[in-house]
């Protein structure tokens, strides 16, 4: 079993002949193409940190009634998506340790079944994380450009329907991905979804920053102090942009890995890239560790509530 079982299915290309795979493996066996040997303890430590952080974020949002709004509900769902990464990692490490030390004896069929369940968790996390980042961006866009109509557009009922739809779609899509993971069509759909969300968020953020820049320029020319609303909107746009950048850096290599599996499974360069798969997994887990830190340090209300949660000031 690999360091992080849910993504092991995509570790090696399957759309190449056995002979070509052998040649590619030989070509990748020298120099920097040998990849990185990342200890399991690092996966375990990052998984524990991520789990605790995201649990605190969820607890803070549930505790503070001021945070009971569609925006923070979406953030809460994003934290749950990050928790899925941590849970799958911890579950994998637990099974590995129990099996390796002979504490747990399981039939191969049961082991494969457990792997499939963990596979579904991580794939659902991928789709739901992308979806909720897109929804949060749209929510912020509505807040800035349709501020007076925001509460009529983004009602609690619509937010609940949106969240339920995303979780349902994530579950279904993860099941399809695990079942047909050897199909290039399925991988292309996943890659296309990733690129679509990136383009959507980039367009929204560029528009938001263009408005913020125009507004600040107008204020400067009139020598008026900036309003709290526009200042908050700019701060929110910066926060979401940081989240987008972190997500792209952490998930980008993995999706590039998928692109190479589809386009050049036997190319020496691609094979070298495949050998760094464990590094891509570490980056994915790091994304779930970094996101809560951004929420805590850039949202004063959430930061205050987190402090109360940590000190048990209920």
């Amino acid at each position: 079993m690999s360091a992080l079982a849910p993504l092991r299915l995509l570790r090696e290309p399957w759309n190449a002949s056995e002979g070509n795979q052998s040649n590619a493996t030989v070509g990748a066996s020298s120099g920097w193409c040998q990849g990185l040997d990342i200890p399991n303890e690092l996966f375990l430590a990052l998984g524990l940190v991520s789990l605790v952080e995201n649990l605190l974020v969820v607890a803070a949002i549930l505790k503070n009634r001021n945070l009971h709004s569609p925006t923070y509900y979406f953030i809460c769902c994003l934290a749950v998506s990050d928790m899925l990464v941590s849970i799958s990692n911890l579950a994998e490490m637990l099974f590995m340790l129990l099996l390796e030390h002979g504490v747990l004896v399981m039939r191969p069929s049961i082991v494969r079944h457990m792997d499939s369940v963990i596979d579904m968790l991580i794939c659902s996390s991928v789709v739901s994380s992308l979806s909720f980042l897109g929804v949060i961006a749209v929510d912020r866009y509505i807040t800035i450009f349709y501020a007076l109509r925001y509460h009529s557009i983004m009602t609690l009922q619509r937010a609940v329907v949106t969240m339920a739809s995303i979780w349902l779609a994530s579950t279904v899509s993860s099941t399809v991905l695990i079942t047909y993971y050897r199909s290039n069509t399925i991988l292309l759909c996943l890659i296309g979804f990733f690129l679509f969300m990136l383009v959507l968020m980039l367009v929204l953020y560029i528009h938001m920053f263009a408005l913020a820049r125009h507004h600040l320029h107008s204020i400067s020319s009139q020598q008026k102090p900036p309003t709290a609303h526009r200042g908050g909107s700019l701060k929110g746009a910066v926060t979401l942009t940081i989240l987008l950048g972190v997500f792209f850096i952490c998930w980008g290599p993995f999706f590039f890995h998928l692109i190479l599996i589809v386009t050049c499974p036997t190319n020496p360069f691609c094979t070298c890239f495949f050998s760094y798969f464990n590094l891509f997994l570490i980056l994915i887990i790091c994304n779930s560790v970094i996101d809560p830190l951004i929420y805590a340090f850039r949202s004063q209300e959430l930061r205050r509530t987190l402090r109360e949660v940590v000190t048990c000031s209920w």
Side-chain angles (χ1 to χ4, degrees):
M1 299 177 74
S2 63
L4 188 60
L7 297 178
R8 80 199 186 289
L9 299 176
L10 304 176
R11 178 184 297 273
E12 299 291 346
W14 57 84
N15 51 348
S17 65
E18 183 176 353
N20 288 336
Q21 284 185 356
S22 299
N23 294 334
T25 302
V26 172
S29 62
S30 60
W32 64 276
C33 294
Q34 294 181 353
L36 294 177
D37 184 16
I38 300 178
N40 291 333
E41 290 77 10
L42 180 58
F43 284 96
L44 181 61
L46 289 175
L48 287 172
V49 172
S50 172
L51 180 61
V52 172
E53 287 182 345
N54 285 286
L55 278 175
L56 289 176
V57 172
V58 173
I61 293 176
L62 295 178
K63 176 183 183 297
N64 191 340
R65 292 184 177 274
N66 294 331
L67 302 178
H68 290 183
S69 63
T71 298
Y72 282 100
Y73 284 150
F74 295 145
I75 291 176
C76 183
C77 288
L78 181 59
V80 173
S81 297
D82 289 337
M83 286 171 56
L84 289 179
V85 178
S86 306
I87 292 173
S88 62
N89 179 40
L90 294 175
E92 163 65 7
M93 293 302 304
L94 178 62
F95 279 115
M96 284 182 60
L97 292 175
L98 293 178
L99 290 174
E100 288 177 359
H101 291 82
V103 178
L104 183 64
V105 179
M106 302 174 65
R107 290 180 297 178
S109 59
I110 298 179
V111 173
R112 288 193 298 269
H113 178 72
M114 295 303 300
D115 281 347
S116 297
V117 172
I118 300 177
D119 288 342
M120 291 182 61
L121 282 177
I122 191 65
C123 293
S124 178
S125 173
V126 173
V127 177
S128 59
S129 294
L130 277 169
S131 301
F132 282 116
L133 278 173
V135 169
I136 292 171
V138 173
D139 178 78
R140 176 56 56 183
Y141 185 86
I142 297 174
T143 301
I144 294 177
F145 289 93
Y146 303 95
L148 298 179
R149 298 172 50 198
Y150 173 80
H151 294 290
S152 61
I153 296 176
M154 188 58 68
T155 62
L156 182 59
Q157 182 179 3
R158 288 177 179 173
V160 171
V161 171
T162 300
M163 291 184 290
S165 300
I166 290 176
W167 284 118
L168 178 61
S170 300
T171 303
V172 173
S173 60
S174 64
T175 303
V176 173
L177 176 61
I178 296 306
T179 304
Y180 302 101
Y181 75 94
R182 290 182 180 273
S183 171
N184 283 346
T185 303
I186 297 298
L187 286 187
L188 288 174
C189 290
L190 182 60
I191 295 169
F193 180 63
F194 175 76
L195 295 177
F196 170 76
M197 282 298 176
L198 281 180
V199 172
L200 172 65
M201 288 183 279
L202 283 173
V203 170
L204 294 179
Y205 294 152
I206 291 174
H207 197 186
M208 283 188 282
F209 274 118
L211 175 66
R213 181 180 179 183
H214 174 74
H215 183 75
L216 292 176
H217 179 73
S218 299
I219 291 175
S220 178
S221 62
Q222 298 175 11
Q223 295 183 350
K224 293 181 179 180
T227 62
H229 172 72
R230 292 300 181 181
S233 298
L234 179 59
K235 181 179 179 181
V238 171
T239 299
L240 294 178
T241 302
I242 293 175
L243 287 173
L244 174 62
V246 169
F247 187 89
F248 179 79
I249 292 173
C250 293
W251 281 100
F254 170 71
F255 278 92
F256 187 58
H257 175 94
L258 299 186
I259 293 174
L260 296 184
I261 285 180
V262 175
T263 58
C264 59
T266 61
N267 183 279
F269 169 80
C270 299
T271 307
C272 286
F273 196 82
F274 297 152
S275 66
Y276 286 85
F277 189 77
N278 281 341
L279 176 60
F280 309 153
L281 302 187
I282 285 292
L283 290 176
I284 290 173
I285 300 177
C286 285
N287 177 76
S288 63
V289 173
I290 296 172
D291 281 353
L293 298 179
I294 298 175
Y295 307 148
F297 284 104
R298 296 195 64 85
S299 173
Q300 183 177 1
E301 184 73 17
L302 183 55
R303 185 169 63 248
R304 181 182 63 82
T305 309
L306 281 173
R307 189 180 302 111
E308 295 176 357
V309 171
V310 172
T311 58
C312 299
S313 301
W314 291 84

